[in-house]
Amino acid sequence: MANEGSFEASKKRSDQIIADLDVNPGKYTMLTGDRPTGRLHMGHYFGTIRERVRLQELGVNTNVIIADYQVITDRDTTANIQDNVYNMVMDYLACGIDPEKTLIFTHSAVPALNQLMLPFLSLCTEAELLRNPTVKAEQEASGHQLTGLLLTYPVHQACDILFCKGNIVPVGKDQLPHIEQTRNIARKFNERYGQVFPEPEAILQEAPEIPGLDGRKMSKSYGNAISLCLTEKETEKLVKKSKTDSERFITFDKENRPGVSALLTTAALCTGRDEVEIAAEIGNDGCGALKKYVIQSVNEYLAPIRERRRGYEQDLDFIKDVLHEGNRRANQIAEQTLAEVREAMGMVY
Ligand code: TRP
C-alpha cells in the first residue's frame, strides 16, 4: 500500500482537489510564493503564475508570499532585496495577479507569522529536519555549511502556509517534502492543543517542465531563462545566441536535440500549437527560421504582460501601496491566528 506521504498518494489527492476546485472554489485557501532573488521568467509564468491567476479568477482565496527571509537560507547577503521585491510585485501584477483579490505580502513585515515558528519547531524532530532531501540539495548547491535557517526553512514555510490556514499549496515536486512537514506540524499541533489548523494539500500541476534555451530546466542560475521583463530586442538577442545543432532539418527530439526541442516547446507554449507540427512546418528552413519564429511568438505572447509592466515601472508609488496594503492585511490575519494559537496553548494572560 502506498503510504500517505508518497508521491502517488499526494498526486491522487491533488487530482481530486483539482477536480473539486471548479465546483467548490470557496472551500479553498491557496498559499504559495517565491523567493525574491531575481526577475520572474517564462518558466515561472507557465509553471505556476498562470495557475495562480486561474485560481484567483475561480474564486479561491488566494495568497502569495514574497519569501524574503528565504533569500538568506542559501546566500549570505540581502543585496538588491528591495529592488527584487518591488520588481516581483510588478511581475505579478503584469501577469494578472490582482491585488484586490489576491493577498501579496512579505515575510519580514509580518511578525506574528514568524512567531508561529516557535511552537512549530517544538513539534519537529532533528531527524525529520535532517532527512528533507530538498534541504540537503540546497545546502550542497550553496557550497555553505548547513545553517540553522536552511535546516528549518521548511518549518518556516509551514508558518507561511498555516498562518492564513492555507489548505492548498500549488508547488513543484521538489517542494513535496515541505508540504509533508507542514501536514505533520498541523496534525501534531491539533492533537496536542486542539483543532486550529487544516492539513494542507499540495496541488501538483500537469504543467510541463519549461525548458530553458539550452534544454535544461529554465533557471536564472543556468543563464537560459527568458525573463518576462526583457524588451523585444533583448529577447531576440537571447534567442539568437541559444545553442542548437548543425543538422538543418528541424525535428522535435528532446533526447538528442535539446536546444532545438527547447525552442520548439517555447514556441508551442506561446502559440498553443504542437511542437511536431511546428517542426514539420519549418523543416528544411533550418534553425535560423526556427529562431525567428520563436522570437516572434514569444514577443507576441508577452506583449500585453510587458506593456502592463512598463506602466508599473513608471509608478513605483502604486507598487509600494500594493505591498503596504498586503502587509497590513497579512498582519491582521496573522494576529488572529496567533491569538488562536495562544488560546489553544493556554498562553493567555
Ligand atoms: N520555497 C519556495 C520557492 O523556493 C517559496 C515559498 C516560500 C513557498 N514559502 C512558501 C512556496 C510557502 C509554497 C508555500 O520557490
Side-chain angles (χ1 to χ4, degrees):
M1 200 183 80
N3 76 42
E4 197 207 341
S6 72
F7 175 75
E8 288 72 27
S10 303
K11 179 81 176 82
K12 199 165 153 219
R13 293 198 307 267
S14 164
D15 287 344
Q16 284 165 351
I17 293 174
I18 290 172
D20 191 44
L21 276 168
D22 287 311
V23 193
N24 297 304
K27 257 175 47 186
Y28 296 98
T29 296
M30 177 208 88
L31 180 292
T32 188
D34 304 281
R35 297 173 188 212
T37 53
R39 305 292 175 264
L40 292 182
H41 53 62
M42 292 182 77
H44 296 118
Y45 181 77
F46 287 109
T48 68
I49 308 288
R50 198 168 56 160
E51 179 66 6
R52 294 178 196 173
V53 175
R54 193 182 78 85
L55 296 179
Q56 163 191 285
E57 295 310 322
L58 268 181
V60 170
N61 172 1
T62 41
N63 303 275
V64 176
I65 185 163
I66 302 179
D68 55 354
Y69 272 134
Q70 265 189 25
V71 169
I72 47 168
T73 53
D74 63 356
R75 60 194 77 198
D76 34 41
T77 135
T78 52
N80 303 323
I81 191 108
Q82 188 192 52
D83 186 53
N84 285 345
V85 168
Y86 290 154
N87 273 282
M88 187 152 272
V89 177
M90 290 181 212
D91 278 334
Y92 286 161
L93 301 193
C95 290
I97 294 184
D98 175 354
E100 300 285 327
K101 298 179 182 156
T102 296
L103 182 69
I104 303 173
F105 64 102
T106 55
H107 271 142
S108 60
V110 190
L113 179 159
N114 292 298
Q115 191 171 330
L116 293 175
M117 189 79 175
L118 292 171
F120 286 4
L121 277 173
S122 77
L123 301 167
C124 305
T125 65
E126 181 191 19
E128 258 167 32
L129 296 174
L130 283 168
R131 72 167 170 254
N132 184 308
T134 302
V135 167
K136 266 189 217 154
E138 285 181 25
Q139 188 259 317
E140 276 160 24
S142 78
H144 288 71
Q145 299 276 332
L146 182 60
T147 65
L149 187 62
L150 180 50
L151 178 64
T152 56
Y153 97 87
V155 185
H156 197 211
Q157 204 158 301
C159 304
D160 300 344
I161 297 167
L162 294 176
F163 97 98
C164 64
K165 304 201 177 165
N167 56 6
I168 53 170
V169 190
V171 282
K173 255 203 292 202
D174 65 314
Q175 300 280 309
L176 269 183
H178 302 0
I179 308 300
E180 224 21 67
Q181 181 77 263
T182 303
R183 292 166 61 79
N184 255 324
I185 289 171
R187 188 183 309 123
K188 282 194 201 159
F189 187 97
N190 294 340
E191 275 167 14
R192 199 172 288 182
Y193 302 111
Q195 180 67 35
V196 173
F197 295 110
E199 282 180 40
E201 298 283 359
I203 300 289
L204 294 156
Q205 260 115 57
E206 296 297 337
E209 185 161 285
I210 318 301
L213 289 167
D214 55 1
R216 292 189 289 174
K217 180 181 168 170
M218 188 177 277
S219 163
K220 197 185 70 151
S221 53
Y222 292 157
N224 64 1
I226 304 178
S227 300
L228 301 175
C229 63
L230 294 185
T231 63
E232 298 197 347
K233 264 262 152 307
E234 287 165 338
T235 306
E236 183 178 339
K237 262 201 207 144
L238 199 67
V239 173
K240 274 198 175 148
K241 70 167 208 239
S242 73
K243 238 177 104 178
T244 48
D245 52 47
S246 53
E247 205 173 315
R248 178 151 190 98
F249 197 83
I250 299 300
T251 50
F252 183 57
D253 177 355
K254 282 206 270 196
E255 193 86 337
N256 299 308
R257 308 187 71 185
V260 167
S261 300
L263 288 174
L264 286 165
T265 300
T266 306
L269 282 165
C270 292
T271 55
R273 296 179 66 195
D274 183 71
E275 285 110 336
V276 177
E277 184 193 305
I278 301 173
E281 189 177 279
I282 295 179
N284 231 349
D285 292 343
C287 285
L290 173 60
K291 286 184 175 179
K292 226 171 122 186
Y293 184 67
V294 171
I295 292 162
Q296 187 196 345
S297 345
V298 169
N299 282 338
E300 248 171 53
Y301 188 86
L302 293 182
I305 293 177
R306 286 170 169 169
E307 196 186 319
R308 282 195 294 272
R309 201 183 193 289
R310 300 299 168 236
Y312 296 126
E313 285 164 11
Q314 301 307 313
D315 197 357
L316 193 57
D317 283 342
F318 175 71
I319 296 298
K320 290 180 187 173
D321 285 347
V322 165
L323 203 52
H324 293 159
E325 175 59 14
N327 285 337
R328 190 188 64 77
R329 278 168 44 217
N331 271 294
Q332 279 179 345
I333 297 166
E335 291 289 351
Q336 166 68 35
T337 302
L338 185 60
E340 285 173 49
V341 164
R342 288 195 183 109
E343 179 81 36
M345 296 178 77
M347 292 174 164
V348 180
Y349 315 112

